[in-house]
Amino acid sequence: MQQNGSSGSNGSDGGRERQALSFSPLPAATTRVRRFIQERQRTLPLPKVMVVFSAAADADKPSDAMSSSDPTEEGEGVRKPPASPSPKHRAPSKPLRSSLNTQEQQEFPEVISLNVGGMYFTTRLSTLRRYEDTMLAAMFSGRHYIPRDAEGRYFIDRDGAYFGDILNFLREGELPHRDRVRAVHREAQYYAISPLLDSLEDTQPLTGEKVRQAFLDLLPYYKDNLERIVEIAKLRGHAEDARFAKLKVCVYKEEMPITPYERPLFNSLRFERSDSEAKLFEHHCEVDVSFGPWEAVADVYDLLHCIVSDLAERGIAAEQQCIGVCDKHLINHYYCKRPIYEFKITWW
């Protein structure tokens, strides 16, 4: 029994010792952990946070914005933060999509003062922009630079004698007087005002000019012959030191070697000839310049009027008169009979 009692006491004591062993080490372990942490804090640097600014070109790409130094990795010491790039080596940023990169449009006041070749005009901005496809609308659209004179007026390097007619059409569609139509038409071509060009071409004298030009197109040699008249007159004027120069010009409408008055007597000439027969009637009159033939209602006098008018357009005064017909004999009873005119060119 004593044995059992002793054993029981021993058992209770052993239980207390085990209980003591199981709970007594906790304070000591906690103390050791605290000391370990404090020692680690003194020996190890705290993790450093570094913000890396990437170039603007890489801003859209995913990247690690933050990194920390980890000195605990094997074979590596404490990492130093990379130096920030200098401004000289910094990557260029993306261009700003703003109006700074584009040419700023010029703004205009509602009332515009103009200096056109030294003549002054005042009009509304909406008047100049009335037709979009014109030169004036493009100039005052704000996309182009327009110089100014000393008084601040917008300058256009063009004769301003007919610019008022241009403005009157832009304002209310008014057309110029007949004696100004040709000059205003040239200005409308320069400023590319198509509505004004169309309106002018449907009025006199430009309407008649269209019909006249259609007739002259039947004579492809007309311009060359006109130049020959001028050149021959120049040479004779210099050679003779004379105020006038005279030359002979043959103007005929048909190739028939007869005059219109004799035509009823020779109806056989209306028939087509063979090549050998046609050669018998071919010849060149002894004149300086020849015009003809042509097929149109316009007659010889109409062509003579065109020649004199075109010479006058170039500042050359010319007079003409019929001095007879070509009397060259062709074959049998046929003679040339083409009318010959003397042109008198006055140089001063």
mmCIF file of all heavy atoms in Angstrom, residues 12-39:
data_model
loop_
_atom_site.group_PDB
_atom_site.id
_atom_site.type_symbol
_atom_site.label_atom_id
_atom_site.label_comp_id
_atom_site.label_asym_id
_atom_site.label_seq_id
_atom_site.Cartn_x
_atom_site.Cartn_y
_atom_site.Cartn_z
ATOM 1 N N SER A 12 1.718 12.144 -8.900
ATOM 2 C CA SER A 12 1.166 13.509 -8.866
ATOM 3 C C SER A 12 2.260 14.536 -9.047
ATOM 4 O O SER A 12 2.101 15.553 -9.711
ATOM 5 C CB SER A 12 0.416 13.724 -7.545
ATOM 6 O OG SER A 12 1.321 13.573 -6.456
ATOM 7 N N ASP A 13 3.416 14.198 -8.406
ATOM 8 C CA ASP A 13 4.533 15.138 -8.586
ATOM 9 C C ASP A 13 4.997 15.178 -10.039
ATOM 10 O O ASP A 13 5.330 16.227 -10.590
ATOM 11 C CB ASP A 13 5.695 14.714 -7.672
ATOM 12 C CG ASP A 13 5.318 14.853 -6.183
ATOM 13 O OD1 ASP A 13 4.366 15.640 -5.930
ATOM 14 O OD2 ASP A 13 5.970 14.230 -5.354
ATOM 15 N N GLY A 14 5.020 14.000 -10.649
ATOM 16 C CA GLY A 14 5.430 13.972 -12.084
ATOM 17 C C GLY A 14 4.479 14.731 -12.948
ATOM 18 O O GLY A 14 4.852 15.383 -13.912
ATOM 19 N N GLY A 15 3.184 14.637 -12.590
ATOM 20 C CA GLY A 15 2.204 15.386 -13.398
ATOM 21 C C GLY A 15 2.411 16.876 -13.271
ATOM 22 O O GLY A 15 2.285 17.638 -14.214
ATOM 23 N N ARG A 16 2.728 17.315 -12.020
ATOM 24 C CA ARG A 16 2.953 18.756 -11.844
ATOM 25 C C ARG A 16 4.208 19.208 -12.598
ATOM 26 O O ARG A 16 4.256 20.290 -13.153
ATOM 27 C CB ARG A 16 3.064 19.060 -10.342
ATOM 28 C CG ARG A 16 1.679 19.056 -9.643
ATOM 29 C CD ARG A 16 1.799 19.660 -8.241
ATOM 30 N NE ARG A 16 2.682 18.864 -7.384
ATOM 31 C CZ ARG A 16 2.237 17.854 -6.601
ATOM 32 N NH1 ARG A 16 0.971 17.516 -6.614
ATOM 33 N NH2 ARG A 16 3.097 17.190 -5.807
ATOM 34 N N GLU A 17 5.238 18.315 -12.544
ATOM 35 C CA GLU A 17 6.467 18.674 -13.261
ATOM 36 C C GLU A 17 6.209 18.768 -14.758
ATOM 37 O O GLU A 17 6.700 19.670 -15.422
ATOM 38 C CB GLU A 17 7.544 17.630 -12.969
ATOM 39 C CG GLU A 17 8.058 17.704 -11.533
ATOM 40 C CD GLU A 17 9.091 16.618 -11.263
ATOM 41 O OE1 GLU A 17 9.366 15.849 -12.240
ATOM 42 O OE2 GLU A 17 9.634 16.538 -10.155
ATOM 43 N N ARG A 18 5.431 17.832 -15.290
ATOM 44 C CA ARG A 18 5.130 17.902 -16.728
ATOM 45 C C ARG A 18 4.318 19.154 -17.049
ATOM 46 O O ARG A 18 4.463 19.771 -18.070
ATOM 47 C CB ARG A 18 4.373 16.644 -17.161
ATOM 48 C CG ARG A 18 5.291 15.424 -17.274
ATOM 49 C CD ARG A 18 4.572 14.309 -17.997
ATOM 50 N NE ARG A 18 3.373 13.867 -17.296
ATOM 51 C CZ ARG A 18 3.374 12.877 -16.375
ATOM 52 N NH1 ARG A 18 4.507 12.274 -16.024
ATOM 53 N NH2 ARG A 18 2.241 12.520 -15.786
ATOM 54 N N GLN A 19 3.415 19.451 -16.097
ATOM 55 C CA GLN A 19 2.626 20.663 -16.324
ATOM 56 C C GLN A 19 3.513 21.887 -16.283
ATOM 57 O O GLN A 19 3.370 22.815 -17.075
ATOM 58 C CB GLN A 19 1.525 20.763 -15.273
ATOM 59 C CG GLN A 19 0.580 21.927 -15.498
ATOM 60 C CD GLN A 19 -0.549 21.948 -14.469
ATOM 61 O OE1 GLN A 19 -0.570 21.091 -13.559
ATOM 62 N NE2 GLN A 19 -1.437 22.893 -14.603
ATOM 63 N N ALA A 20 4.455 21.898 -15.344
ATOM 64 C CA ALA A 20 5.373 23.031 -15.262
ATOM 65 C C ALA A 20 6.227 23.118 -16.496
ATOM 66 O O ALA A 20 6.510 24.173 -17.016
ATOM 67 C CB ALA A 20 6.232 22.918 -14.002
ATOM 68 N N LEU A 21 6.659 21.942 -16.958
ATOM 69 C CA LEU A 21 7.504 21.955 -18.162
ATOM 70 C C LEU A 21 6.740 22.420 -19.384
ATOM 71 O O LEU A 21 7.284 23.040 -20.268
ATOM 72 C CB LEU A 21 8.066 20.553 -18.386
ATOM 73 C CG LEU A 21 9.147 20.110 -17.385
ATOM 74 C CD1 LEU A 21 9.518 18.653 -17.636
ATOM 75 C CD2 LEU A 21 10.360 20.988 -17.441
ATOM 76 N N SER A 22 5.489 22.110 -19.430
ATOM 77 C CA SER A 22 4.720 22.479 -20.629
ATOM 78 C C SER A 22 4.384 23.957 -20.659
ATOM 79 O O SER A 22 4.231 24.528 -21.711
ATOM 80 C CB SER A 22 3.433 21.644 -20.706
ATOM 81 O OG SER A 22 2.655 21.886 -19.559
ATOM 82 N N PHE A 23 4.286 24.687 -19.570
ATOM 83 C CA PHE A 23 3.880 26.092 -19.566
ATOM 84 C C PHE A 23 5.011 27.031 -19.183
ATOM 85 O O PHE A 23 4.980 28.190 -19.524
ATOM 86 C CB PHE A 23 2.719 26.304 -18.584
ATOM 87 C CG PHE A 23 1.454 25.649 -19.077
ATOM 88 C CD1 PHE A 23 1.058 24.406 -18.585
ATOM 89 C CD2 PHE A 23 0.671 26.300 -20.017
ATOM 90 C CE1 PHE A 23 -0.102 23.819 -19.034
ATOM 91 C CE2 PHE A 23 -0.496 25.690 -20.453
ATOM 92 C CZ PHE A 23 -0.887 24.453 -19.973
ATOM 93 N N SER A 24 5.986 26.540 -18.456
ATOM 94 C CA SER A 24 7.048 27.435 -18.014
ATOM 95 C C SER A 24 7.943 27.917 -19.153
ATOM 96 O O SER A 24 8.421 29.035 -19.102
ATOM 97 C CB SER A 24 7.882 26.758 -16.910
ATOM 98 O OG SER A 24 8.463 25.562 -17.415
ATOM 99 N N PRO A 25 8.219 27.162 -20.191
ATOM 100 C CA PRO A 25 9.125 27.675 -21.247
ATOM 101 C C PRO A 25 8.514 28.787 -22.077
ATOM 102 O O PRO A 25 9.225 29.446 -22.823
ATOM 103 C CB PRO A 25 9.376 26.462 -22.127
ATOM 104 C CG PRO A 25 9.071 25.285 -21.271
ATOM 105 C CD PRO A 25 7.987 25.702 -20.381
ATOM 106 N N LEU A 26 7.240 29.087 -22.104
ATOM 107 C CA LEU A 26 6.614 30.084 -22.982
ATOM 108 C C LEU A 26 7.162 31.482 -22.757
ATOM 109 O O LEU A 26 7.487 32.178 -23.711
ATOM 110 C CB LEU A 26 5.105 30.064 -22.784
ATOM 111 C CG LEU A 26 4.388 28.848 -23.387
ATOM 112 C CD1 LEU A 26 2.912 28.913 -23.063
ATOM 113 C CD2 LEU A 26 4.618 28.815 -24.877
ATOM 114 N N PRO A 27 7.271 31.940 -21.502
ATOM 115 C CA PRO A 27 7.829 33.294 -21.316
ATOM 116 C C PRO A 27 9.247 33.398 -21.824
ATOM 117 O O PRO A 27 9.618 34.386 -22.442
ATOM 118 C CB PRO A 27 7.724 33.509 -19.811
ATOM 119 C CG PRO A 27 6.651 32.581 -19.376
ATOM 120 C CD PRO A 27 6.788 31.373 -20.245
ATOM 121 N N ALA A 28 10.019 32.373 -21.604
ATOM 122 C CA ALA A 28 11.410 32.424 -22.063
ATOM 123 C C ALA A 28 11.480 32.447 -23.572
ATOM 124 O O ALA A 28 12.281 33.156 -24.169
ATOM 125 C CB ALA A 28 12.169 31.215 -21.487
ATOM 126 N N ALA A 29 10.633 31.621 -24.250
ATOM 127 C CA ALA A 29 10.634 31.590 -25.721
ATOM 128 C C ALA A 29 10.192 32.931 -26.286
ATOM 129 O O ALA A 29 10.743 33.424 -27.273
ATOM 130 C CB ALA A 29 9.717 30.469 -26.216
ATOM 131 N N THR A 30 9.206 33.526 -25.676
ATOM 132 C CA THR A 30 8.736 34.823 -26.147
ATOM 133 C C THR A 30 9.825 35.859 -26.011
ATOM 134 O O THR A 30 10.022 36.715 -26.891
ATOM 135 C CB THR A 30 7.508 35.249 -25.348
ATOM 136 O OG1 THR A 30 6.507 34.232 -25.475
ATOM 137 C CG2 THR A 30 6.950 36.577 -25.856
ATOM 138 N N THR A 31 10.556 35.809 -24.965
ATOM 139 C CA THR A 31 11.649 36.759 -24.761
ATOM 140 C C THR A 31 12.719 36.580 -25.813
ATOM 141 O O THR A 31 13.248 37.558 -26.356
ATOM 142 C CB THR A 31 12.223 36.581 -23.353
ATOM 143 O OG1 THR A 31 11.188 36.750 -22.406
ATOM 144 C CG2 THR A 31 13.341 37.603 -23.094
ATOM 145 N N ARG A 32 13.028 35.311 -26.107
ATOM 146 C CA ARG A 32 14.055 35.066 -27.129
ATOM 147 C C ARG A 32 13.615 35.558 -28.501
ATOM 148 O O ARG A 32 14.406 36.095 -29.261
ATOM 149 C CB ARG A 32 14.383 33.562 -27.174
ATOM 150 C CG ARG A 32 15.188 33.101 -25.954
ATOM 151 C CD ARG A 32 15.785 31.734 -26.225
ATOM 152 N NE ARG A 32 14.758 30.735 -26.486
ATOM 153 C CZ ARG A 32 14.203 29.989 -25.514
ATOM 154 N NH1 ARG A 32 14.548 30.158 -24.255
ATOM 155 N NH2 ARG A 32 13.272 29.102 -25.826
ATOM 156 N N VAL A 33 12.316 35.383 -28.816
ATOM 157 C CA VAL A 33 11.810 35.837 -30.113
ATOM 158 C C VAL A 33 11.896 37.362 -30.210
ATOM 159 O O VAL A 33 12.271 37.926 -31.240
ATOM 160 C CB VAL A 33 10.363 35.359 -30.324
ATOM 161 C CG1 VAL A 33 9.764 36.020 -31.560
ATOM 162 C CG2 VAL A 33 10.335 33.849 -30.473
ATOM 163 N N ARG A 34 11.560 38.024 -29.155
ATOM 164 C CA ARG A 34 11.631 39.481 -29.168
ATOM 165 C C ARG A 34 13.060 39.970 -29.361
ATOM 166 O O ARG A 34 13.322 40.922 -30.108
ATOM 167 C CB ARG A 34 11.054 40.041 -27.874
ATOM 168 C CG ARG A 34 9.532 39.875 -27.764
ATOM 169 C CD ARG A 34 9.036 40.380 -26.435
ATOM 170 N NE ARG A 34 7.584 40.233 -26.344
ATOM 171 C CZ ARG A 34 6.893 40.507 -25.212
ATOM 172 N NH1 ARG A 34 7.550 40.945 -24.119
ATOM 173 N NH2 ARG A 34 5.592 40.360 -25.186
ATOM 174 N N ARG A 35 13.981 39.304 -28.603
ATOM 175 C CA ARG A 35 15.371 39.695 -28.770
ATOM 176 C C ARG A 35 15.853 39.450 -30.210
ATOM 177 O O ARG A 35 16.585 40.269 -30.782
ATOM 178 C CB ARG A 35 16.233 38.906 -27.783
ATOM 179 C CG ARG A 35 16.020 39.328 -26.336
ATOM 180 C CD ARG A 35 16.868 38.434 -25.425
ATOM 181 N NE ARG A 35 16.669 38.797 -24.008
ATOM 182 C CZ ARG A 35 17.210 38.145 -23.001
ATOM 183 N NH1 ARG A 35 17.980 37.076 -23.252
ATOM 184 N NH2 ARG A 35 16.991 38.526 -21.747
ATOM 185 N N PHE A 36 15.442 38.346 -30.790
ATOM 186 C CA PHE A 36 15.847 38.022 -32.171
ATOM 187 C C PHE A 36 15.334 39.075 -33.168
ATOM 188 O O PHE A 36 16.060 39.534 -34.046
ATOM 189 C CB PHE A 36 15.312 36.635 -32.539
ATOM 190 C CG PHE A 36 15.632 36.241 -33.950
ATOM 191 C CD1 PHE A 36 16.912 35.812 -34.301
ATOM 192 C CD2 PHE A 36 14.668 36.325 -34.928
ATOM 193 C CE1 PHE A 36 17.177 35.468 -35.596
ATOM 194 C CE2 PHE A 36 14.938 35.981 -36.221
ATOM 195 C CZ PHE A 36 16.202 35.534 -36.566
ATOM 196 N N ILE A 37 14.095 39.466 -32.934
ATOM 197 C CA ILE A 37 13.508 40.473 -33.839
ATOM 198 C C ILE A 37 14.215 41.800 -33.685
ATOM 199 O O ILE A 37 14.499 42.508 -34.661
ATOM 200 C CB ILE A 37 12.005 40.619 -33.567
ATOM 201 C CG1 ILE A 37 11.277 39.323 -33.983
ATOM 202 C CG2 ILE A 37 11.421 41.808 -34.311
ATOM 203 C CD1 ILE A 37 9.815 39.319 -33.621
ATOM 204 N N GLN A 38 14.517 42.192 -32.443
ATOM 205 C CA GLN A 38 15.209 43.463 -32.222
ATOM 206 C C GLN A 38 16.595 43.454 -32.836
ATOM 207 O O GLN A 38 17.041 44.451 -33.424
ATOM 208 C CB GLN A 38 15.296 43.754 -30.701
ATOM 209 C CG GLN A 38 13.939 44.050 -30.078
ATOM 210 C CD GLN A 38 14.016 44.223 -28.564
ATOM 211 O OE1 GLN A 38 15.102 44.061 -27.969
ATOM 212 N NE2 GLN A 38 12.876 44.533 -27.937
ATOM 213 N N GLU A 39 17.304 42.293 -32.654
ATOM 214 C CA GLU A 39 18.623 42.208 -33.267
ATOM 215 C C GLU A 39 18.533 42.286 -34.787
ATOM 216 O O GLU A 39 19.358 42.925 -35.439
ATOM 217 C CB GLU A 39 19.303 40.911 -32.841
ATOM 218 C CG GLU A 39 19.681 40.899 -31.368
ATOM 219 C CD GLU A 39 20.268 39.564 -30.966
ATOM 220 O OE1 GLU A 39 20.344 38.691 -31.865
ATOM 221 O OE2 GLU A 39 20.666 39.393 -29.796
#
